[in-house]
Amino acid sequence: MKSIKELCVLREGALEVRVGEQIENLEEDIRGTDGRAFFAGTYVTRGLEELVRKAVARLAGQSSCAGVVLKQALGGGKTHLMKCAALLAADPELRREVMPGVPHINDFGAARVAAFNGRNRPPGFFWGEIARQLGLPNAFTTLEAPDSGAWKNLFRRAGGPLLVMLDEMPPYFEYYATQPSGNGTVADIISNAYTNMLVAARETGQAFMIVSTLEGAHARGSRFMNHALRDAVNDGERRMLDSVTPVELEGNEIYGILRRRLFRSLPPEEVIAGVAEDFRRSLEEGVKAGVLDAAALQDADSIRQTYPFHPSFSKIAALFKDNEGFQQTRGLLELASRLLKSIWQGSSGDACLAGAQHFDPSLADVRDKFRDIARLDGALARDIWNEQGDAFAQELDRRNGHACATRAAMMLMMSSLAENAGAETVRGLAPRELFRYVTAPGAAVAPFREALEELRGRAWYLHEEDGRLYFDRNENLTSKLSRRRKSWLTPPSSVLRLRTGCAPPWRASACCTSPCRGTRPRRRPACVPWGISRKRTTCCSSTAPAAWGI
């Protein structure tokens, strides 16, 4: 079977994706962006389609839903969806090309768009900036929070369908929560203006709001924002705002994003279907042999949607998606880039599907990315790979003539990156899960099973809990026993000195009652450790191996 390296063509820069280079700025990016080029690199997720349907219906005057709240952690795709909505709202022709099946797509022309990023702090606050972008810079002449009537007047004067977007507002609230004002803070004033804006949008027929939250970050600012949302979203018996999740990391649509952003071309569908069937046969053999569970056959059904990645890639990544600082969609895009680099430039060029076992730890970019997600440096250097070549997995692979130990260890390493301690935190894989994910055409499971058993007996940082194997920062019992055994077998330095010859001249008085001249000392040297016989033999200058009765 041909490898993905032989069947796929990468986009330029696919092996060097960096999280920092993927960060989008809403206010800057919607001005002058080529919509067609932008959507050429955009995969339409269910979240994006839902957002566009709701926005189009409202802007066409056919919906009572006045907006949506985008909920996901940092780097989850919220800003990207806002950019999509802005470009489509402002360009009727682009709407028809990109989303032709959306109801009411032709029922309005170009909408007016205003966008604000909460990491900016203009002098007129966010309401002054929105008024400026809507062509009414003098609408709010004071720094007082506009009430709902002032907002409605602004929307009416701006005219036509209006799309207003507020991105990353928790940092904005958090900053102004430190600025006192009267009996409260400036954040209280901003919260009031925020609520009034949302209420006014509800009462303006063709105004649509898109706001985003940052789950798991900026806790103080998020509390202010959530309070403002709670004040605005409930209106008697009907809801004003709906929630939309930009990307479901646990599903298959993340593979659509990875394929669109990283690959220029993939093999024809019939070739991918053939790969899926070959994997099915390998999985069926494993089930018949009792090595795999019948559920493993589901992987073959998913390969058509996940190719050129193994279906397990997103499942394992979902274990650490809530790590503090991990930027979900952006972070997974960079991680996938490092996986492809391991295949195109590293030691895993034979991969038929890209899976966690194919990460090449000899690449500095791979090690750095794993370190960014969770610091398991000790496990990586002692158990998997180091420059000296004496990590346990390296030694096993040299002895056995294959890379099964390193590949099994790298899959366990990726499954061990979850850091949020708690009852729901899951780390590691059960052995049968690992065997399921490494099963491939022409790759027997037996070498992986043997390598895993040896790792369980020798690795210092590999732990087992509830049947799942995972790497941890703390050493295991094997390591502690190994260190203790080494300390038992290695004599103290003072004993080595007695065995090999006389102590240095400046320490002679510590060993003998008089300088060493081949005579026996009159009393036991102070440097002889506990447990050594008091029997006098020869002086410490003697080369006799039994000096001081050892």
Side-chain angles (χ1 to χ4, degrees):
M1 176 184 292
K2 289 186 176 181
S3 67
I4 62 171
K5 185 177 179 180
E6 298 173 284
L7 295 173
C8 305
V9 179
L10 296 174
R11 288 187 182 274
E12 183 178 355
L15 304 184
E16 302 296 337
V17 173
R18 307 285 175 184
V19 166
E21 297 171 358
Q22 304 300 310
I23 296 175
E24 298 172 297
N25 187 300
L26 184 61
E27 290 184 64
E28 297 175 2
D29 291 346
I30 63 173
R31 313 298 178 190
T33 297
D34 184 341
R36 286 162 183 80
F38 178 79
F39 276 98
T42 297
Y43 177 79
V44 179
T45 65
R46 288 190 295 272
L48 174 56
E49 184 174 359
E50 182 182 2
L51 173 63
V52 171
R53 286 179 179 274
K54 292 179 182 296
V56 166
R58 178 67 173 182
L59 295 175
Q62 302 297 320
S63 172
S64 61
C65 176
V68 299
V69 180
L70 300 179
K71 292 186 175 183
Q72 202 153 32
L74 185 68
K78 300 179 298 297
T79 303
H80 193 80
L81 259 66
M82 286 184 168
K83 285 178 61 177
C84 291
L87 294 171
L88 294 174
D91 191 337
E93 186 176 343
L94 183 63
R95 285 201 301 271
R96 288 189 287 269
E97 291 178 13
V98 176
M99 309 285 281
V102 173
H104 313 295
I105 198 76
N106 298 313
D107 292 358
F108 67 98
R112 304 198 68 168
V113 178
F116 179 76
N117 186 299
R119 298 190 183 276
N120 299 328
R121 292 190 291 274
F125 295 99
F126 81 87
W127 51 87
E129 179 62 21
I130 289 175
R132 185 190 67 79
Q133 292 184 32
L134 292 178
L136 299 167
N138 299 318
F140 301 132
T141 56
T142 70
L143 297 182
E144 294 182 2
D147 59 20
S148 60
W151 279 111
K152 284 191 289 184
N153 185 50
L154 174 70
F155 295 155
R156 180 184 57 78
R157 291 173 60 193
L162 299 175
L163 175 62
V164 179
M165 302 178 294
L166 291 93
D167 193 21
E168 298 193 18
M169 289 299 285
Y172 190 71
F173 281 103
E174 195 163 87
Y175 171 77
Y176 283 109
T178 65
Q179 310 297 311
S181 178
N183 294 327
T185 67
V186 177
D188 296 306
I189 300 174
I190 293 173
S191 178
N192 183 257
Y194 194 82
T195 298
N196 293 338
M197 179 195 66
L198 297 174
V199 171
R202 178 193 64 207
E203 298 173 0
T204 304
Q206 288 183 283
F208 191 74
M209 302 285 120
I210 304 177
V211 298
S212 69
T213 64
L214 286 174
E215 293 186 351
H218 299 281
R220 189 179 184 186
S222 293
R223 284 195 297 271
F224 274 96
M225 180 174 176
N226 291 333
H227 178 74
L229 289 173
R230 282 195 300 271
D231 286 347
V233 295
N234 293 317
D235 178 30
E237 298 179 354
R238 62 190 177 90
R239 290 186 61 82
M240 190 191 84
L241 298 177
D242 290 337
S243 296
V244 171
T245 300
V247 181
E248 295 289 351
L249 293 184
E250 292 85 352
N252 286 337
E253 67 182 13
I254 187 63
Y255 295 108
I257 296 173
L258 297 178
R259 288 192 289 191
R260 182 65 65 90
R261 299 290 293 273
L262 298 174
F263 291 92
R264 186 178 301 279
S265 67
L266 298 174
E269 285 295 327
E270 57 269 21
V271 173
I272 297 175
V275 172
E277 287 305 311
D278 289 343
F279 268 84
R280 179 182 296 279
R281 284 191 287 270
S282 298
L283 292 168
E284 287 175 345
E285 292 175 3
V287 172
K288 290 178 182 178
V291 178
L292 307 178
D293 298 324
L297 298 176
Q298 297 173 4
D299 291 346
D301 298 329
S302 301
I303 288 175
R304 290 177 175 83
Q305 288 76 47
T306 68
Y307 186 91
F309 296 92
H310 193 279
S312 63
F313 183 66
S314 66
K315 295 177 184 177
I316 297 177
L319 297 177
F320 55 85
K321 67 181 180 66
D322 294 325
N323 279 20
E324 184 177 355
F326 182 69
Q327 299 190 22
Q328 297 212 350
T329 305
R330 284 201 297 264
L332 192 58
L333 182 63
E334 183 176 352
L335 190 63
S337 172
R338 302 299 170 267
L339 176 56
L340 296 179
K341 190 170 189 175
S342 299
I343 295 172
W344 260 259
Q345 297 181 1
S347 61
S348 300
D350 59 338
C352 301
L353 290 177
Q357 72 271 28
H358 296 120
F359 279 107
D360 184 351
S362 69
L363 298 178
D365 281 352
V366 171
R367 299 194 302 275
D368 290 344
K369 184 57 185 175
F370 273 65
R371 188 178 296 112
D372 288 344
I373 300 172
R375 301 194 68 86
L376 295 174
D377 303 52
L380 183 61
R382 175 66 273 182
D383 293 343
I384 303 177
W385 185 92
N386 60 48
E387 293 183 352
Q388 292 71 39
D390 60 358
F392 293 132
Q394 289 174 292
E395 292 176 348
L396 291 174
D397 286 343
R398 278 197 301 272
R399 189 190 70 193
N400 297 329
H402 53 64
C404 292
T406 298
R407 291 189 174 181
M410 288 306 294
M411 177 161 283
L412 289 176
M413 172 63 75
M414 183 175 170
S415 71
S416 305
L417 297 178
E419 286 194 316
N420 294 329
E424 298 181 359
T425 301
V426 176
R427 287 193 297 172
L429 297 171
R432 292 176 78 88
E433 286 181 291
L434 187 148
F435 300 149
R436 167 182 174 176
Y437 296 156
V438 300
T439 296
V445 173
F448 283 98
R449 180 189 293 176
E450 295 168 1
L452 184 62
E453 285 304 312
E454 292 193 87
L455 283 174
R456 292 169 80 171
R458 296 186 59 188
W460 282 16
Y461 294 86
L462 187 61
H463 296 254
E464 184 168 358
E465 184 176 347
D466 297 330
R468 302 177 73 88
L469 297 169
Y470 64 93
F471 285 106
D472 191 73
R473 295 174 183 172
N474 299 317
E475 297 179 4
N476 57 26
L477 184 60
T478 299
S479 167
K480 295 175 181 178
L481 291 176
S482 177
R483 290 184 184 277
R484 183 68 59 84
R485 183 169 57 251
K486 185 176 180 180
S487 68
W488 289 340
L489 296 176
T490 303
S493 59
S494 57
V495 176
L496 291 174
R497 189 164 60 243
L498 289 171
R499 286 180 179 274
T500 57
C502 183
W506 60 86
R507 294 294 305 277
S509 60
C511 293
C512 309
T513 56
S514 61
C516 297
R517 290 186 174 85
T519 60
R520 294 172 181 252
R522 297 176 182 176
R523 57 186 175 85
R524 180 171 178 257
C527 63
V528 178
W530 178 87
I532 297 177
S533 170
R534 292 177 178 269
K535 183 179 73 173
R536 294 183 177 182
T537 55
T538 60
C539 175
C540 59
S541 64
S542 170
T543 58
W548 283 102
I550 300 175

